[in-house]
Structures are given as C-alpha cells and as structure tokens.
C-alpha cells in the first residue's frame, strides 16, 4: 500500500525508488547473529550490471563498510527468520532487478542465494525523486487514474472521447519494460541505456520515440488518409490495453493504425505505469510549422477552397502529453510540466520524437532550451498568413495572430470536466506580452540558437513582414464589411446542414458583393479533400445594412465525401466591385453522432456478477452493415469485449446486455464504441463505483 503498486496485476514484487520495502529471510539451522554474521545484498539490473554505472549495487545490513546509496536495515530478528528493510535511492535506474544475498557467517562459510526479481518504478510520492509531485489529488489523477478523456472536435464544439489507459492491467508493466528493451538506445548500447534509466528526461525521450514506429518496431504505425482496410481505423480505438497487448503478442510488430490522440494515449499509459505523472493535452487549431519562421501559410483559390500545402498546416486539433519532472539540465524554474509528443512529425536528434519541452519555456519564448521547444512554440503560437492563388500569382489576404493555439485542454482532477490550460502556454492573445514573447522567439530562431528542430539555416518560404508587433489590417476593415457563418441547427450526422452567411455593411456607402461559397471535407491534420459543394451569391447592402444569405447542404451531397474525422469546412471568398481587396471567411463543422447509452443493472461489487446494458442506434436514414460493438473497462472486464451486430436498419435502435464480474474496487469507467461500414466511432461511457465484496 505504501508503494501505491497494489493496483498492478503482477506476480512479482513491485516497489518505488526512495521508499523502503521489507523482505523476510528464513534460516534452516539457527538464528541470525548480528554481531557475528554479515549479510550483503546485491541488486542488479540490465544485461551488464556495473557498479560504476549504477546498475549494480552492493550493500550490507546496517550499512557496514558500504558506500552504496542503497540501504538495508534490520527490522525484526526471530529464531528462524529475519525481517529486513531495503531501500533503493531516489535516483536509481528503474526496471527489473535481480536481488541476491551473500551471508558471511562467523563459522567461516560464505553462502550466496538468489532471492528473486523485483521491479523498481519512479516515485512521485518521494521528495528526492525527480518526478516528485507535491499534491495527492494530482498524483491520484496523473499516476493512479486508469481512465480519462481525450478532447476532440473543433474549437467551437469540443467533445470528450473516453479512454481506457489501463496502466495497471495484467501484463502491461511487462510490456512497458519490454518497450524500453526494444528501443534503438538499448540495442545500440544496453549498458549505457540501463544506466540512464534513472532519468525521467531520458526515459521520456526513449518512450516517446518507441510509441511510433518510424525509426524502430515501435508500438503504433501512424496513417493520415482514408484507407485503413489493412488495420484498425484510429477512430475505433477506446483504450491502450488492446493496442499494447497486440504489439506484444505479434512479436513487437507495429499495430495498424494510430493518429495523434492514440499515440498520446499509449504514451500516457506507459508513463503512468512507470510512475511518471502524465496527462493528455489537446490543442485546437494546432500549427505545424516546418520551416521555423513561426508562420503557417494557408492557400486558397478564388472559390474559397483551401488548397493542400505539403509543408505548413493547421491541424484541427492535435494531442500530446505533459509529463511532470525536474529539469536539472535547464536553468532554474523550467521544471514541472514538460511537453512530449510521440506523433511522428519531425525528427529530433535524428529520431521521430519531440520533447521534453518545458511548458514554462514555451510560454516565455525560450525556444533555445532543450528539447524541441521551438517546434512546440509554433504549435501554440505561430501566426497564420492566408494567400489567394489565382492565375499563377499569390495575393496576400491577411495575417492572423490569434488563430493558432486555442482552448488547450485536459481532463480536470477529481471530475469529468474539461480544464482549459491555454494560459500555461501563452499570454493572452492580443496582449503586449504575447507579441513580445513571439518576437523574442522569432529573434532566437533567426540567430540560429535553437537546439531543437530548427537549424540556423532555416529559410522562410516567403519574406517575413516587417511589422510583426501588430497584426496586418484585415480586408474586412478595408472594405468595411463584416461577414460570419452561423449554423441554424445542430450538425447531426444524417441530416441536412442549414446555415446562413451574416453580412453587415459597416460603412456609409452602398456595397455590392460577389460571394463564392464552397464546402470540402478535411482530415483532422488540416489536409483538405476536394470540394463537394459550391455556390455563388450576390449581396447588395445599403449603408449600415445587415443581411443573411441562407445556405443548405443536403445529406446526399456530403455523405459520400466525408472523412472519418467528420469535418466540413465551409468558406466564402468575398469581393466588392470598387475594391481590389478580398475577404475570406470560413467555419469548420464537426458532424455529431448520438452517443451510446450504458446502464449498469444493479450494484457493482467486487467478485459479484454484474449486468451492463448497452443501448445504441443507427443515426442514418440508410441501412448500415458490418456493425461491431466493442466494450471495455479496467477492473471490470478482463479483456475487451467485441460483439458482432451485423446489420442495423435505418434509424434503428437496439440494445444488448453483457455480463461481467468486477475484479477491482473504486471508481471505474466503461467505454464503448460502435462501428459499421458507414461510420467508425459512435462512442459512449459510464462511470461506476465498485464496492468491495461484503
């Protein structure tokens, strides 16, 4: 209980560093004589244990003649047994250890015994550990909680996606240690790798690179397209356990497929399992700046359609991790939460990983601090420049200093609510401090001091405008017309999308507007698909007049063009006859499914049968096939449940009842997902409290 490892389903002893644990030695012939007998313990980890590297420790009872930071002390001495307290130092390498004992008796004989194996983890409860977190509610949330939410959707419609982290489930700790041993660091120099496993900075970079499979046989193969026929669509996953167990069962072959939220969820599972406080973060409108100028260039044609940009993109949302640790490798004040991003985007020191980057360093624009701080800064605080491409020429429409990095979100402590932590990453948009930090970061990048993704010779694709301290004048200010899209109904999947374009003439002159409207699907990483709807409108406005232009996109128009991400971008490119300026306005719509309803029938008690009712429906006005329901929940189901439903008729509602036997008490969560040939991720969840058996 003192080591907070009782939740872990495992046969061996599991302890945390910096905290004592007791073992009992039993003797056959006589009692231990403390003044005459000498007991020496040996603890070894890795394939080549070494005293100098810290992977081998030799220490005696009561510390006699022992320079080792490991400690052993006598607790009780009985006629045929000896209880001993052992303690690993708070900086010891984590991993699996072999414990041996040498007994040097007064009779002159030396006997050696192999006592067995134990696993040593990081200890956020120990003030001497680099991952010490001085808040019990935070430790319970960021280390002990085995479920949570990952926020998806868009900044105007943020939805929680339930997730089963399952870090204490059977075999997961074995798989996490196996993951360390499969890394390129271990393969290249196993002795050095094991010696460095006492550092959370080092461990986090190793794990970060191993979650993706770009450099090695990592856990997940990423894919950002529409064809997932040779694997699992990332939207279908509801937990980490099935993914990690599949990776292990196939001889550590990468699992197909993951995207950013799946990478971050797996990383959260591994890091919490190892004892490092970790949370999952979502950044809405996340920049991906490849050339290091802190500018995201977006290109549009004269219909308002966004064009694919192979370099810079704005992801509708992007998900990463924060891990809590001291940063003795940085100047004082930059410890605490660190960004780690296992989604393979750019290389860091030759490998696809990102971080740890200090959140405070990001906020202060200290982009030259290790690791990859400049890249993370651009994800939350780059500027966006929109260009019109027409007749082989590019016309700059406007520069937006506010659009990148919104509603940075994570699950709250002790509740299912969302915490907005944007202020941890940047000063308020539009404030003098925010622009000052942006300029500081840009200057550091220009002088080539960054040691992260960006090199001194990085060149911008376009010259950086001189007046960086203030945003450019928007075309709507020049033309003096305000434009905005507004939905008339909730955007429910299977129904027509009804919306209006609101136009307001802010001048005292007559305005004659030509409006090119378009709609296209987007992937969540910002990649556009071809337009499926276009229209042209002519709007005449008297001085200071407001008008609404109604629009409708039918289900039959968009149904065949949707990606799994269910994102539609509607755009309007507006021009006024007497002005060369053009106004671009757009809105991203996330189509909504009805949620799965889960009812727990009766009281939930450990080791007592429990019935769970799952109610789901087909929201479409057409038949769907190949329906599969998956249900899981740590401490409730021993493995993920898969129920083949088959065909669901249009608008049909159905239910099934599953039976299980809870095996862990406390607050638990059930996660469910329904997929078919027409949709992949209708989800639901239910929090339940499991009582101990009577």
């Amino acid at each position: 209980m003192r080591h907070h490892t009782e939740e872990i389903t495992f046969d061996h002893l599991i302890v945390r560093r910096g905290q004592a644990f007791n073992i009992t030695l039993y003797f056959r012939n006589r009692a231990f004589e403390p003044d005459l007998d000498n007991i020496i313990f040996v603890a070894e980890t890795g394939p080549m244990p070494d005293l100098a590297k810290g992977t081998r420790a030799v220490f005696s009872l009561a510390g006699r003649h022992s320079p080792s930071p490991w400690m052993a002390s006598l607790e009780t001495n009985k006629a045929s047994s000896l209880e001993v307290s052992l303690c690993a130092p708070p900086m010891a390498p984590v991993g699996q250890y072999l414990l041996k004992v040498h007994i040097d008796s007064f009779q002159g004989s030396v006997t050696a015994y192999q006592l067995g194996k134990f696993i040593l983890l990081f200890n956020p409860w120990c003030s001497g550990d680099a991952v010490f977190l001085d808040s019990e509610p935070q430790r319970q949330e960021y280390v002990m909680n085995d479920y949570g939410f990952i926020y998806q959707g868009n900044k105007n419609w943020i939805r929680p996606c339930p997730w089963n982290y399952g870090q204490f489930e059977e075999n997961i700790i074995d798989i996490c240690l196996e993951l360390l041993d499969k890394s390129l660091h271990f393969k290249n120099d196993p002795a050095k790798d094991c010696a460095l496993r006492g550092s959370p900075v080092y461990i986090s970079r190793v794990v970060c690179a191993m979650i993706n499979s770009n450099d090695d046989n990592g856990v997940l193969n990423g894919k950002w397209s529409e064809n997932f026929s040779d694997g699992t669509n990332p939207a279908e996953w509801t937990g980490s356990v099935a993914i990690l167990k599949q990776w292990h069962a196939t001889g550590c072959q990468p699992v197909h497929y993951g995207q950013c939220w799946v990478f971050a969820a797996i990383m959260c599972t591994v890091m919490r399992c190892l004892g490092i406080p970790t949370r999952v973060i979502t950044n809405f409108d996340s920049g991906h700046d490849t050339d290091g100028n802190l500018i995201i260039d977006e290109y549009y044609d004269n219909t308002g359609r966004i064009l694919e940009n192979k370099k810079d993109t704005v992801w509708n949302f992007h998900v990463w991790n924060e891990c809590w640790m001291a940063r003795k490798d940085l100047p004082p004040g930059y410890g605490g939460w660190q960004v780690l991003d296992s989604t393979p985007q750019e290389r860091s020191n030759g490998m696809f990983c990102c971080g740890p980057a200090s959140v405070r360093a990001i906020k202060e624009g200290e982009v030259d601090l290790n690791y990859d701080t400049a890249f993370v800064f651009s994800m939350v605080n780059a500027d966006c420049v929109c260009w019109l491409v027409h007749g082989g020429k590019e016309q700059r429409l406007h520069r937006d200093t506010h659009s990148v990095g919104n509603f940075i979100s994570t699950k709250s402590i002790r509740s299912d609510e969302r915490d907005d932590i944007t202020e941890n990453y940047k000063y308020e948009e539009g404030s003098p401090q925010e622009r000052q930090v942006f300029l500081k970061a840009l200057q550091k990048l220009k002088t080539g001091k960054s040691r992260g993704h960006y090199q001194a010779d990085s060149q911008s694709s376009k010259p950086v405008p001189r007046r960086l301290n203030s945003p450019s004048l928007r075309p709507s200010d020049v033309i003096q017309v305000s434009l905005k899209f507004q939905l008339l109904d909730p955007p429910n999947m299977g129904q027509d999308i009804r919306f209006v374009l609101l136009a307001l003439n802010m001048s005292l002159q007559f305005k004659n507007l030509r409006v090119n409207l378009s709609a296209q699907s987007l992937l969540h990483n910002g990649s556009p698909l071809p337009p499926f709807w276009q229209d042209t409108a002519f709007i005449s406005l008297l001085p200071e007049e407001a008008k609404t232009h109604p629009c409708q996109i039918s289900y039959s128009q968009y149904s065949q063009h949707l990606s799994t991400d269910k994102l539609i971008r509607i755009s309007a490119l507006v021009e006024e006859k007497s002005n060369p300026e053009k106004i671009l306005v757009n809105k991203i719509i996330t189509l909504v499914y009805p949620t799965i309803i889960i009812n727990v029938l009766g009281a939930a008690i450990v080791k007592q049968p429990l019935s769970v009712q799952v109610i789901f429906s087909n929201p479409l006005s057409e038949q769907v096939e190949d329906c599969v329901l998956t249900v899981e929940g740590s401490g409730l189901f021993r493995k993920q449940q898969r129920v083949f439903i088959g065909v669901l008729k249009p608008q049909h509602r159905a239910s099934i009842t599953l039976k299980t036997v809870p095996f862990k008490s406390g607050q638990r969560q059930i996660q469910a997902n329904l997929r078919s040939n027409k949709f992949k991720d209708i989800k639901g969840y239910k929090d339940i409290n499991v009582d101990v058996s009577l």
Side-chain angles (χ1 to χ4, degrees), residues 59 83 92 145 247 278 294 314 344 452 481-482 491 499 558 568 628 664:
F59 53 106
E83 187 178 2
N145 199 354
W247 177 74
T278 303
L294 301 186
V314 177
V481 172
S482 169
F499 59 98
Y558 71 75
I568 293 176
V628 179
K664 290 183 181 179

Side-chain angles (χ1 to χ4, degrees), residues 131-342:
V131 302
F132 173 63
L133 183 57
D134 191 18
S135 164
E136 182 58 21
Q138 289 191 39
R139 290 190 292 250
Q140 289 299 317
E141 182 67 49
Y142 302 134
V143 181
M144 302 302 293
N145 199 354
D146 59 8
Y147 67 87
F149 298 101
I150 302 169
Y151 294 96
Q152 299 178 350
N154 66 70
K155 66 182 176 185
N156 300 312
W157 186 76
I158 298 173
R159 75 173 183 116
C161 173
W163 197 270
N164 176 26
Y165 297 119
Q167 68 267 31
F168 303 131
E169 290 297 281
E170 189 174 13
N171 297 331
I172 293 300
I173 193 165
D174 271 343
I175 296 170
C176 292
L177 296 179
E178 181 180 29
L179 183 145
L180 297 179
D181 289 346
K182 293 295 181 182
S183 75
L184 292 180
H185 296 80
F186 182 84
K187 290 179 180 178
N188 292 337
D189 191 341
K192 181 181 178 182
D193 175 74
C194 289
L196 290 172
R197 289 183 184 179
S199 163
V201 174
Y202 177 79
I203 283 275
S204 65
R205 282 184 67 77
V206 171
V207 172
C208 191
M210 276 301 296
I211 300 301
N212 67 69
S213 62
N214 288 48
D215 306 296
D216 42 45
N217 277 356
V219 176
L220 269 173
N221 194 342
K223 192 172 189 180
W224 286 264
S225 68
E226 297 180 271
N227 182 12
F228 302 101
S229 58
D230 59 337
T232 299
N233 188 310
E236 294 179 34
W237 298 112
T238 52
S240 305
V241 177
I243 296 170
L244 287 167
K245 287 189 174 183
Q246 182 179 328
W247 177 74
H248 168 73
T250 56
C252 304
Q253 293 302 305
V255 176
H256 297 189
Y257 288 102
Q259 290 181 7
C260 65
W261 68 92
V262 191
F263 288 110
I266 299 293
M267 176 117 186
C268 183
T269 296
V270 175
M271 298 300 270
R272 285 186 183 181
C273 184
L274 295 175
I276 299 177
T278 303
R279 58 189 187 181
V280 177
I281 310 297
T282 302
N283 177 38
F284 291 94
D285 301 326
S286 189
H288 184 177
D289 172 28
T290 58
D291 48 22
N293 63 351
L294 301 186
I295 291 175
I296 309 293
D297 295 307
E298 289 190 331
Y299 299 91
Y300 296 80
D301 68 10
N302 60 359
T303 68
R305 171 174 70 117
I306 189 170
L307 304 175
E308 186 168 8
N309 181 358
K310 296 293 185 184
K311 293 171 33 169
D312 297 351
T313 51
V314 177
W315 293 38
N316 198 52
F317 67 87
H318 183 51
V319 184
W320 59 70
N321 297 101
E322 284 180 3
C323 297
W324 182 273
M325 64 188 74
R327 291 297 303 271
K328 293 179 181 178
D329 58 319
L330 300 183
Y334 292 103
W337 289 117
Q338 312 289 316
V339 170
L340 284 137
D341 189 352
S342 53

Side-chain angles (χ1 to χ4, degrees), residues 95 177 294 304 382 393 493 496 618 621 652:
L177 296 179
L294 301 186
K393 295 182 179 179
M493 179 65 78
D496 296 349
N618 172 14
S621 54
H652 183 67

